[in-house]
Amino acid sequence: MIKPNKFANKNFLSSLDFSTDEVFHILDLAKNFKNKDLNIDLKNKVLGLIFDKSSTRTRVSFQVAMSRLGGTTIDLNPTTSQIGRGEPIKDTARVLSRYCDVMAIRTFNHSDLEEYAKWSTKPVINALTDLEHPCQVLADFLTIQEEFLDFKDVVLTFIGDGNNVANSLILCGALLGVEVRIACPKGYEPNSLVIDKAYDIYKNKKLLKITNDPNTAVLGSNVLYTDVWTSMGEEKQKEEKDKVFNGFTIDSDLVSKADKDAIILHCLPAYRSKEITDEVIEGKKSKIFQQAENRMHAQQALLSCLLS
Ligand code: CP
Ligand code: NVA
C-alpha cells in the first residue's frame, strides 16, 4: 500500500518547492484518499490557518482534510488576533510554531509568506498569495489526470489574467511536462520570473506559449481554464480590467474551437458572464465541481506528506 513520503522541502510556498516525483506522489496519494484506500492518522496534529483574504474552498477543504486525517484546525482570524494589530511576522511565526504542527497562510505579498516560513520551525503552506496558488493547481492536475489518465498529450490553455493561478499552472505544468498556453490581454502576462523559471525546467521549450489571442490558443486544447479577471486586492482595477478583458470570456463559441473532448476548469469563485458564461459552467464539459472537490483530496495528501 502507498505511504506518504517525507519531502525534501519542509514548506510548500511555491509549486517549485516539490520535485516532479513529489508532485506525482501527491497525486497518487490524493487518488488513494479519494477512493478511501488510504488511512493516515494525524491524531493530535494541529493545522493553524491565517487568512488575510476571504476563502470558501481553501479554508473549508483544509479544515475537512485535517478532520478526515484525525487532526484539528485552528482558524486564526487576523482581525481578532494580534496579527491584525501589526505584531511582527517573525514573532507570530515563532510563537505559533510552538503550538501548531503546520500552518496554511493566505496573504497578499508573497514575501510575507516567505518571511513567515523563515521564522517558523513547522511546515508552512501557501494557501494563496498575489504570486502563487500552488494548492489549487495540485487539485487541477489531479482533475486533469482523472480525465485523461496521463499528461502526455494534454494541452492546457488558460484564458484570462496572468495571475497567481496562471503562475502556479505554469510552474506545476513545467514540472509535469504538460503543454501550457496562456492567452491574456497585452500587459497582463504572467510574472516574468515565473516564465523564466518554467522555461528552465521544460525540456521542450515549445511546451509553454504566452499569447494575446484566445481564439488561436484554444485550437487543439484539451483543457480550457479560467479565473477571475480581478483578483482579491485588485478591486480598484476592476472597471479597467472589465474593458481590457473583453473578448477573453470562455463561452460556447470559444469552447467549440477547442478539442471536441475538451474539459473546462475554473478554480472558483466565478463571475458568470465575465470570464466564463453560465452555460459553460453548467455544461457537460465542465469539471469545475469535481475540481473543487479535489482540493480536499489533494490537501489530505499534502498534509500527510508534510507531517510524516
Ligand atoms: N479556489 C479557491 O482558492 O477558492 P477560495 O478563494 O474560496 O478558497
Ligand atoms: N486569482 C484569484 C483566485 C481566487 C481563488 C484571486 O487571487 O483572487
Side-chain angles (χ1 to χ4, degrees):
M1 199 179 70
I2 187 167
K3 276 202 191 128
N5 290 341
K6 195 169 177 60
F7 286 177
N9 204 323
K10 90 170 164 67
N11 300 314
F12 187 46
L13 309 185
S14 162
S15 289
L16 292 191
D17 281 339
F18 293 164
S19 66
T20 300
D21 285 350
E22 287 170 339
V23 175
F24 274 113
H25 181 63
I26 295 258
L27 298 180
D28 277 353
L29 284 173
K31 260 175 276 165
N32 278 272
F33 276 119
K34 189 167 183 176
N35 297 335
K36 303 199 169 30
D37 288 339
L38 193 57
N39 204 357
I40 301 295
D41 188 5
L42 296 184
K43 191 165 174 265
N44 296 331
K45 298 287 185 192
V46 179
L47 164 68
L49 302 167
I50 301 176
F51 280 60
D52 289 330
K53 296 175 175 173
S54 305
S55 171
T56 299
R57 279 143 289 270
T58 309
R59 187 200 308 274
V60 178
S61 58
F62 265 119
Q63 287 170 328
V64 178
M66 202 57 186
S67 150
R68 285 180 169 218
L69 292 165
T72 53
T73 48
I74 300 178
D75 193 351
L76 289 141
N77 180 343
T79 56
T80 53
S81 65
Q82 305 290 7
I83 298 166
R85 212 201 55 178
E87 183 168 7
I89 292 172
K90 62 181 179 182
D91 292 358
T92 307
R94 280 177 290 180
V95 171
L96 293 181
S97 288
R98 288 160 191 256
Y99 306 144
C100 299
D101 300 287
V102 55
M103 296 297 298
I105 301 177
R106 170 170 288 198
T107 193
F108 294 85
N109 296 325
H110 195 77
S111 56
D112 286 345
L113 181 76
E114 289 173 331
E115 166 80 355
Y116 194 102
K118 181 178 152 195
W119 291 96
S120 174
T121 57
K122 300 291 170 57
V124 177
I125 298 169
N126 181 351
L128 181 149
T129 62
D130 291 346
L131 185 65
E132 274 201 61
H133 197 2
C135 294
Q136 175 67 52
V137 306
L138 290 177
D140 302 341
F141 283 106
L142 176 62
T143 312
I144 294 169
Q145 201 181 38
E146 285 175 337
E147 292 300 315
F148 297 99
L149 304 180
D150 65 40
F151 299 119
K152 213 162 50 73
D153 296 315
V154 170
V155 178
L156 161 61
T157 299
F158 179 94
I159 294 143
D161 187 26
N163 62 15
N164 42 11
V165 172
N167 289 336
S168 289
L169 285 171
I170 289 172
L171 293 174
C172 197
L175 286 177
L176 298 171
V178 176
E179 177 166 347
V180 176
R181 301 177 188 165
I182 307 287
C184 57
K186 254 194 177 19
Y188 292 91
E189 287 81 7
N191 181 285
S192 59
L193 289 177
V194 163
I195 294 174
D196 290 348
K197 283 183 196 171
Y199 277 128
D200 283 346
I201 297 166
Y202 273 114
K203 288 194 188 91
N204 176 358
K205 313 287 172 210
K206 287 190 186 145
L207 292 184
L208 175 60
K209 291 190 192 86
I210 315 291
T211 153
N212 304 121
D213 180 2
N215 289 296
T216 52
V218 298
L219 299 175
S221 294
N222 309 99
V223 182
L224 302 190
Y225 194 130
T226 191
D227 180 18
V228 292
W229 294 337
T230 303
S231 285
M232 290 178 279
E234 295 182 339
E235 288 74 13
K236 284 199 184 120
Q237 299 173 42
K238 187 174 180 301
E239 216 176 307
E240 169 72 10
K241 282 185 132 180
D242 280 352
K243 281 188 216 139
V244 175
F245 282 74
N246 186 21
F248 285 80
T249 303
I250 299 192
D251 55 18
S252 39
D253 179 47
L254 197 62
V255 172
S256 73
K257 294 176 183 155
D259 187 86
K260 68 173 184 18
D261 297 321
I263 63 165
I264 313 298
L265 299 182
H266 190 309
C267 57
L268 299 177
Y271 285 99
R272 283 162 160 85
S273 80
K274 296 273 185 191
E275 74 275 6
I276 192 163
T277 61
D278 183 62
E279 189 187 9
V280 172
I281 295 186
E282 304 298 341
K284 276 205 196 78
K285 290 169 180 277
S286 166
K287 303 295 169 198
I288 291 171
F289 294 97
Q290 174 182 335
Q291 175 189 10
E293 177 187 333
N294 282 342
R295 295 293 308 275
M296 178 176 67
H297 306 300
Q299 283 154 206
Q300 267 188 272
L302 173 68
L303 289 164
S304 60
C305 290
L306 293 181
L307 292 170
S308 72

